[in-house]
Amino acid sequence: MKIGALTIEPVYDGYGREPAREVLVRPDVPDAWACHEHLLDERGDLDLTLGGFLLRTGDRVVLIDAGVGTIDNDKYHGGQFLESLHEHGVAPNDVTDVVFTHLHFDHVGWAAKKGQVVFPNATYRVHGADWAHFVDSPDAEPGAVRKLSPLAERLEPFEADTTLAPGLDTRHVPGHTPGSTIFVVSSEGERALLLGDVAHSTVELTDPTWEAIFDVDRTAARKVRAGLIEELADSSDAVAGAHFPGLRFGRVVTVSGERRFELI
């Protein structure tokens, strides 16, 4: 995706499947998916692309999220991230920054492997609220602590919204997780928003009443999505979710009074 003088490239790691009617719901509508069957597979599952995005800006080589890693089970199938990165001409040593939209397992899989950081020259960045929740909290999940602790010496958490690199800015949007962050890429008057899991499916960008069972704070997450829809509707901003099919970008448009997500 070309944004002014910058290019955002998808880094594919694999795919996942979740039963759509169990993970994305509208509390006021018994079968909200009945009108969106075309977005599901033959089993009624939601196909989730897994991976991240590559941004080269100035002398920086930035990864936004790091896939699911080598997990291969009945729901999630990873393992292709480094090969995909190689296809873009980037080796692990070339990466200068790894930034996370949040710290769920399917976004940090290649951050570390067997206790060693995968990108040894990179600085790792995430909102401090997520690090506190997933690593420092007494209630933190042991698996997350094991995965993420090797990053501590190379970690530079951020708290307030900030610029991380030329053309790369953060926007704190708590709800899905305490530190969930949208990354805004801008250049020459153009913008793209990398949403992380603010939306797992494109349906969430057309109707703010959808809720994800993975959201830590569903009320806050719903408020974030509602504001985002209003901001994006009929604007020139490109947008991509971390699990949208093929990691492709689109825009929110209004057609005959209804909001739709159209691929670019």
Side-chain angles (χ1 to χ4, degrees):
M1 182 69 198
K2 192 78 171 174
I3 301 296
L6 302 177
T7 301
I8 309 168
E9 297 170 297
V11 184
Y12 182 76
D13 193 26
Y15 67 95
R17 288 194 178 98
E18 289 282 358
R21 288 171 172 82
E22 296 178 16
V23 300
L24 289 179
V25 300
R26 287 178 59 192
D28 58 328
V29 179
D31 187 7
W33 281 105
C35 297
H36 303 283
E37 297 281 359
H38 63 288
L39 296 175
L40 308 179
D41 67 14
E42 64 280 359
R43 296 172 297 186
D45 286 346
L46 192 63
D47 284 327
L48 305 171
T49 299
L50 305 173
F53 295 93
L54 172 66
L55 173 68
R56 287 176 258 219
T57 172
D59 61 353
R60 310 278 280 279
V61 179
V62 184
L63 286 177
I64 297 102
D65 286 338
V68 74
T70 57
I71 290 175
D72 188 6
N73 56 33
D74 59 338
K75 283 191 175 182
Y76 293 89
H77 308 271
Q80 302 179 50
F81 195 83
L82 297 185
E83 180 181 345
S84 298
L85 200 57
H86 177 75
E87 291 173 357
H88 291 303
V90 175
N93 287 349
D94 299 329
V95 176
T96 62
D97 303 82
V98 179
V99 301
F100 300 111
T101 58
H102 64 293
L103 294 179
H104 277 151
F105 75 98
D106 52 329
H107 296 257
V108 302
W110 289 98
K113 184 179 180 183
K114 296 181 179 180
Q116 300 295 318
V117 295
V118 173
F119 306 101
N121 297 322
T123 299
Y124 290 79
R125 293 182 168 91
V126 70
H127 195 283
D130 252 33
W131 190 262
H133 179 79
F134 285 93
V135 182
D136 288 341
S137 169
D139 300 323
E141 182 182 329
V145 175
R146 285 194 301 272
K147 167 63 76 172
L148 297 168
S149 291
L151 311 183
E153 292 186 1
R154 304 194 64 86
L155 182 74
E156 290 185 8
F158 52 87
E159 302 292 341
D161 290 345
T162 188
T163 298
L164 296 182
L168 179 64
D169 295 284
T170 73
R171 183 190 297 183
H172 184 208
V173 286
H176 180 62
T177 65
S180 281
T181 299
I182 290 173
F183 291 103
V184 181
V185 178
S186 58
S187 173
E188 299 179 352
E190 298 180 354
R191 293 198 321 170
L193 279 67
L194 302 174
L195 302 183
D197 282 358
V198 168
H200 294 79
S201 169
T202 58
V203 296
E204 294 170 275
L205 293 183
T206 62
D207 184 339
T209 64
W210 286 90
E211 294 183 356
I213 65 163
F214 305 117
D215 292 338
V216 171
D217 185 336
R218 293 191 189 184
T219 300
R222 192 168 57 244
K223 183 178 179 180
V224 164
R225 281 189 289 273
L228 190 63
I229 291 171
E230 292 305 312
E231 175 185 352
L232 294 174
D234 303 313
S235 78
S236 61
D237 291 342
V239 61
H243 300 301
F244 288 5
L247 300 176
R248 292 184 61 185
F249 285 81
R251 292 190 174 96
V252 179
V253 300
T254 306
V255 179
S256 301
E258 293 186 357
R259 297 275 165 77
R260 298 182 184 178
F261 183 82
E262 292 190 351
L263 292 172
I264 297 172

PDB file of all heavy atoms in Angstrom, residues 185-207:
ATOM      1  N   VAL A 185       0.113   5.835   9.715  1.00  0.00           N
ATOM      2  CA  VAL A 185       1.197   6.084   8.767  1.00  0.00           C
ATOM      3  C   VAL A 185       0.768   7.250   7.880  1.00  0.00           C
ATOM      4  O   VAL A 185      -0.327   7.217   7.290  1.00  0.00           O
ATOM      5  CB  VAL A 185       1.494   4.838   7.911  1.00  0.00           C
ATOM      6  CG1 VAL A 185       2.586   5.131   6.887  1.00  0.00           C
ATOM      7  CG2 VAL A 185       1.900   3.672   8.802  1.00  0.00           C
ATOM      8  N   SER A 186       1.609   8.275   7.775  1.00  0.00           N
ATOM      9  CA  SER A 186       1.235   9.453   6.996  1.00  0.00           C
ATOM     10  C   SER A 186       2.423   9.976   6.198  1.00  0.00           C
ATOM     11  O   SER A 186       3.569   9.918   6.643  1.00  0.00           O
ATOM     12  CB  SER A 186       0.695  10.561   7.912  1.00  0.00           C
ATOM     13  OG  SER A 186       1.672  10.921   8.888  1.00  0.00           O
ATOM     14  N   SER A 187       2.107  10.466   5.011  1.00  0.00           N
ATOM     15  CA  SER A 187       3.137  11.035   4.138  1.00  0.00           C
ATOM     16  C   SER A 187       2.460  11.810   3.018  1.00  0.00           C
ATOM     17  O   SER A 187       1.487  11.323   2.430  1.00  0.00           O
ATOM     18  CB  SER A 187       4.015   9.925   3.545  1.00  0.00           C
ATOM     19  OG  SER A 187       4.926  10.439   2.577  1.00  0.00           O
ATOM     20  N   GLU A 188       2.933  13.001   2.784  1.00  0.00           N
ATOM     21  CA  GLU A 188       2.474  13.822   1.658  1.00  0.00           C
ATOM     22  C   GLU A 188       0.949  13.981   1.635  1.00  0.00           C
ATOM     23  O   GLU A 188       0.298  13.916   0.598  1.00  0.00           O
ATOM     24  CB  GLU A 188       2.965  13.233   0.330  1.00  0.00           C
ATOM     25  CG  GLU A 188       4.482  13.190   0.230  1.00  0.00           C
ATOM     26  CD  GLU A 188       4.985  12.583  -1.064  1.00  0.00           C
ATOM     27  OE1 GLU A 188       4.160  12.048  -1.844  1.00  0.00           O
ATOM     28  OE2 GLU A 188       6.206  12.660  -1.317  1.00  0.00           O
ATOM     29  N   GLY A 189       0.384  14.184   2.821  1.00  0.00           N
ATOM     30  CA  GLY A 189      -1.039  14.440   2.918  1.00  0.00           C
ATOM     31  C   GLY A 189      -1.922  13.206   2.871  1.00  0.00           C
ATOM     32  O   GLY A 189      -3.158  13.331   2.901  1.00  0.00           O
ATOM     33  N   GLU A 190      -1.333  12.008   2.821  1.00  0.00           N
ATOM     34  CA  GLU A 190      -2.104  10.774   2.811  1.00  0.00           C
ATOM     35  C   GLU A 190      -1.911  10.025   4.121  1.00  0.00           C
ATOM     36  O   GLU A 190      -0.862  10.158   4.770  1.00  0.00           O
ATOM     37  CB  GLU A 190      -1.691   9.893   1.626  1.00  0.00           C
ATOM     38  CG  GLU A 190      -1.947  10.535   0.280  1.00  0.00           C
ATOM     39  CD  GLU A 190      -1.528   9.650  -0.879  1.00  0.00           C
ATOM     40  OE1 GLU A 190      -0.930   8.572  -0.635  1.00  0.00           O
ATOM     41  OE2 GLU A 190      -1.779  10.043  -2.029  1.00  0.00           O
ATOM     42  N   ARG A 191      -2.927   9.209   4.497  1.00  0.00           N
ATOM     43  CA  ARG A 191      -2.853   8.476   5.759  1.00  0.00           C
ATOM     44  C   ARG A 191      -3.357   7.061   5.587  1.00  0.00           C
ATOM     45  O   ARG A 191      -4.250   6.775   4.793  1.00  0.00           O
ATOM     46  CB  ARG A 191      -3.710   9.130   6.848  1.00  0.00           C
ATOM     47  CG  ARG A 191      -3.284  10.460   7.339  1.00  0.00           C
ATOM     48  CD  ARG A 191      -3.914  10.803   8.678  1.00  0.00           C
ATOM     49  NE  ARG A 191      -5.311  10.380   8.825  1.00  0.00           N
ATOM     50  CZ  ARG A 191      -5.982  10.406   9.974  1.00  0.00           C
ATOM     51  NH1 ARG A 191      -5.366  10.793  11.081  1.00  0.00           N
ATOM     52  NH2 ARG A 191      -7.252  10.032  10.024  1.00  0.00           N
ATOM     53  N   ALA A 192      -2.779   6.170   6.398  1.00  0.00           N
ATOM     54  CA  ALA A 192      -3.298   4.820   6.549  1.00  0.00           C
ATOM     55  C   ALA A 192      -3.300   4.486   8.030  1.00  0.00           C
ATOM     56  O   ALA A 192      -2.384   4.864   8.768  1.00  0.00           O
ATOM     57  CB  ALA A 192      -2.453   3.814   5.789  1.00  0.00           C
ATOM     58  N   LEU A 193      -4.324   3.771   8.464  1.00  0.00           N
ATOM     59  CA  LEU A 193      -4.454   3.372   9.865  1.00  0.00           C
ATOM     60  C   LEU A 193      -4.344   1.857   9.971  1.00  0.00           C
ATOM     61  O   LEU A 193      -5.070   1.122   9.296  1.00  0.00           O
ATOM     62  CB  LEU A 193      -5.792   3.830  10.438  1.00  0.00           C
ATOM     63  CG  LEU A 193      -5.899   5.286  10.906  1.00  0.00           C
ATOM     64  CD1 LEU A 193      -5.794   6.257   9.734  1.00  0.00           C
ATOM     65  CD2 LEU A 193      -7.224   5.514  11.642  1.00  0.00           C
ATOM     66  N   LEU A 194      -3.413   1.407  10.802  1.00  0.00           N
ATOM     67  CA  LEU A 194      -3.236  -0.011  11.096  1.00  0.00           C
ATOM     68  C   LEU A 194      -3.913  -0.262  12.432  1.00  0.00           C
ATOM     69  O   LEU A 194      -3.448   0.204  13.476  1.00  0.00           O
ATOM     70  CB  LEU A 194      -1.756  -0.368  11.130  1.00  0.00           C
ATOM     71  CG  LEU A 194      -0.992  -0.061   9.824  1.00  0.00           C
ATOM     72  CD1 LEU A 194       0.509  -0.311   9.994  1.00  0.00           C
ATOM     73  CD2 LEU A 194      -1.534  -0.895   8.681  1.00  0.00           C
ATOM     74  N   LEU A 195      -4.999  -1.026  12.398  1.00  0.00           N
ATOM     75  CA  LEU A 195      -5.920  -1.077  13.533  1.00  0.00           C
ATOM     76  C   LEU A 195      -5.586  -2.113  14.590  1.00  0.00           C
ATOM     77  O   LEU A 195      -6.189  -2.088  15.662  1.00  0.00           O
ATOM     78  CB  LEU A 195      -7.337  -1.370  13.024  1.00  0.00           C
ATOM     79  CG  LEU A 195      -7.921  -0.392  12.015  1.00  0.00           C
ATOM     80  CD1 LEU A 195      -9.356  -0.809  11.697  1.00  0.00           C
ATOM     81  CD2 LEU A 195      -7.870   1.036  12.519  1.00  0.00           C
ATOM     82  N   GLY A 196      -4.679  -3.043  14.307  1.00  0.00           N
ATOM     83  CA  GLY A 196      -4.531  -4.147  15.238  1.00  0.00           C
ATOM     84  C   GLY A 196      -5.844  -4.894  15.330  1.00  0.00           C
ATOM     85  O   GLY A 196      -6.485  -5.173  14.320  1.00  0.00           O
ATOM     86  N   ASP A 197      -6.288  -5.184  16.553  1.00  0.00           N
ATOM     87  CA  ASP A 197      -7.549  -5.904  16.742  1.00  0.00           C
ATOM     88  C   ASP A 197      -8.679  -5.001  17.202  1.00  0.00           C
ATOM     89  O   ASP A 197      -9.652  -5.461  17.824  1.00  0.00           O
ATOM     90  CB  ASP A 197      -7.364  -7.052  17.743  1.00  0.00           C
ATOM     91  CG  ASP A 197      -6.678  -8.253  17.121  1.00  0.00           C
ATOM     92  OD1 ASP A 197      -6.380  -8.214  15.905  1.00  0.00           O
ATOM     93  OD2 ASP A 197      -6.429  -9.229  17.851  1.00  0.00           O
ATOM     94  N   VAL A 198      -8.592  -3.722  16.906  1.00  0.00           N
ATOM     95  CA  VAL A 198      -9.757  -2.865  17.116  1.00  0.00           C
ATOM     96  C   VAL A 198     -10.937  -3.427  16.335  1.00  0.00           C
ATOM     97  O   VAL A 198     -12.085  -3.344  16.759  1.00  0.00           O
ATOM     98  CB  VAL A 198      -9.441  -1.416  16.678  1.00  0.00           C
ATOM     99  CG1 VAL A 198     -10.708  -0.571  16.613  1.00  0.00           C
ATOM    100  CG2 VAL A 198      -8.446  -0.781  17.652  1.00  0.00           C
ATOM    101  N   ALA A 199     -10.631  -4.043  15.175  1.00  0.00           N
ATOM    102  CA  ALA A 199     -11.644  -4.760  14.394  1.00  0.00           C
ATOM    103  C   ALA A 199     -11.029  -6.062  13.903  1.00  0.00           C
ATOM    104  O   ALA A 199      -9.965  -6.048  13.290  1.00  0.00           O
ATOM    105  CB  ALA A 199     -12.120  -3.915  13.219  1.00  0.00           C
ATOM    106  N   HIS A 200     -11.691  -7.178  14.180  1.00  0.00           N
ATOM    107  CA  HIS A 200     -11.219  -8.477  13.701  1.00  0.00           C
ATOM    108  C   HIS A 200     -11.755  -8.784  12.310  1.00  0.00           C
ATOM    109  O   HIS A 200     -11.166  -9.561  11.561  1.00  0.00           O
ATOM    110  CB  HIS A 200     -11.675  -9.595  14.649  1.00  0.00           C
ATOM    111  CG  HIS A 200     -11.060  -9.525  16.006  1.00  0.00           C
ATOM    112  ND1 HIS A 200     -11.503  -8.650  16.982  1.00  0.00           N
ATOM    113  CD2 HIS A 200     -10.033 -10.215  16.557  1.00  0.00           C
ATOM    114  CE1 HIS A 200     -10.776  -8.807  18.078  1.00  0.00           C
ATOM    115  NE2 HIS A 200      -9.885  -9.750  17.849  1.00  0.00           N
ATOM    116  N   SER A 201     -12.912  -8.214  11.988  1.00  0.00           N
ATOM    117  CA  SER A 201     -13.567  -8.414  10.704  1.00  0.00           C
ATOM    118  C   SER A 201     -14.026  -7.070  10.170  1.00  0.00           C
ATOM    119  O   SER A 201     -14.288  -6.127  10.941  1.00  0.00           O
ATOM    120  CB  SER A 201     -14.771  -9.353  10.855  1.00  0.00           C
ATOM    121  OG  SER A 201     -15.571  -9.365   9.694  1.00  0.00           O
ATOM    122  N   THR A 202     -14.174  -6.995   8.856  1.00  0.00           N
ATOM    123  CA  THR A 202     -14.609  -5.735   8.251  1.00  0.00           C
ATOM    124  C   THR A 202     -16.016  -5.339   8.695  1.00  0.00           C
ATOM    125  O   THR A 202     -16.361  -4.155   8.633  1.00  0.00           O
ATOM    126  CB  THR A 202     -14.553  -5.832   6.719  1.00  0.00           C
ATOM    127  OG1 THR A 202     -15.386  -6.916   6.274  1.00  0.00           O
ATOM    128  CG2 THR A 202     -13.120  -6.077   6.243  1.00  0.00           C
ATOM    129  N   VAL A 203     -16.830  -6.289   9.165  1.00  0.00           N
ATOM    130  CA  VAL A 203     -18.186  -5.924   9.603  1.00  0.00           C
ATOM    131  C   VAL A 203     -18.150  -4.944  10.765  1.00  0.00           C
ATOM    132  O   VAL A 203     -19.065  -4.137  10.941  1.00  0.00           O
ATOM    133  CB  VAL A 203     -19.034  -7.158   9.997  1.00  0.00           C
ATOM    134  CG1 VAL A 203     -19.267  -8.060   8.814  1.00  0.00           C
ATOM    135  CG2 VAL A 203     -18.419  -7.908  11.171  1.00  0.00           C
ATOM    136  N   GLU A 204     -17.090  -4.988  11.551  1.00  0.00           N
ATOM    137  CA  GLU A 204     -16.997  -4.103  12.711  1.00  0.00           C
ATOM    138  C   GLU A 204     -16.724  -2.658  12.332  1.00  0.00           C
ATOM    139  O   GLU A 204     -16.839  -1.766  13.171  1.00  0.00           O
ATOM    140  CB  GLU A 204     -15.914  -4.613  13.662  1.00  0.00           C
ATOM    141  CG  GLU A 204     -16.238  -5.946  14.294  1.00  0.00           C
ATOM    142  CD  GLU A 204     -15.038  -6.510  15.018  1.00  0.00           C
ATOM    143  OE1 GLU A 204     -14.210  -7.173  14.347  1.00  0.00           O
ATOM    144  OE2 GLU A 204     -14.923  -6.285  16.236  1.00  0.00           O
ATOM    145  N   LEU A 205     -16.356  -2.433  11.064  1.00  0.00           N
ATOM    146  CA  LEU A 205     -16.142  -1.060  10.598  1.00  0.00           C
ATOM    147  C   LEU A 205     -17.378  -0.492   9.919  1.00  0.00           C
ATOM    148  O   LEU A 205     -17.347   0.621   9.394  1.00  0.00           O
ATOM    149  CB  LEU A 205     -14.951  -1.009   9.629  1.00  0.00           C
ATOM    150  CG  LEU A 205     -13.585  -1.296  10.241  1.00  0.00           C
ATOM    151  CD1 LEU A 205     -12.495  -1.134   9.189  1.00  0.00           C
ATOM    152  CD2 LEU A 205     -13.306  -0.398  11.435  1.00  0.00           C
ATOM    153  N   THR A 206     -18.458  -1.251   9.907  1.00  0.00           N
ATOM    154  CA  THR A 206     -19.698  -0.763   9.318  1.00  0.00           C
ATOM    155  C   THR A 206     -20.807  -0.613  10.346  1.00  0.00           C
ATOM    156  O   THR A 206     -21.787   0.075  10.102  1.00  0.00           O
ATOM    157  CB  THR A 206     -20.170  -1.712   8.193  1.00  0.00           C
ATOM    158  OG1 THR A 206     -20.429  -3.010   8.747  1.00  0.00           O
ATOM    159  CG2 THR A 206     -19.107  -1.828   7.110  1.00  0.00           C
ATOM    160  N   ASP A 207     -20.643  -1.246  11.495  1.00  0.00           N
ATOM    161  CA  ASP A 207     -21.670  -1.194  12.544  1.00  0.00           C
ATOM    162  C   ASP A 207     -20.975  -1.298  13.897  1.00  0.00           C
ATOM    163  O   ASP A 207     -20.389  -2.333  14.232  1.00  0.00           O
ATOM    164  CB  ASP A 207     -22.649  -2.351  12.361  1.00  0.00           C
ATOM    165  CG  ASP A 207     -23.805  -2.303  13.356  1.00  0.00           C
ATOM    166  OD1 ASP A 207     -23.669  -1.658  14.414  1.00  0.00           O
ATOM    167  OD2 ASP A 207     -24.845  -2.920  13.084  1.00  0.00           O
TER     168      ASP A 207
END
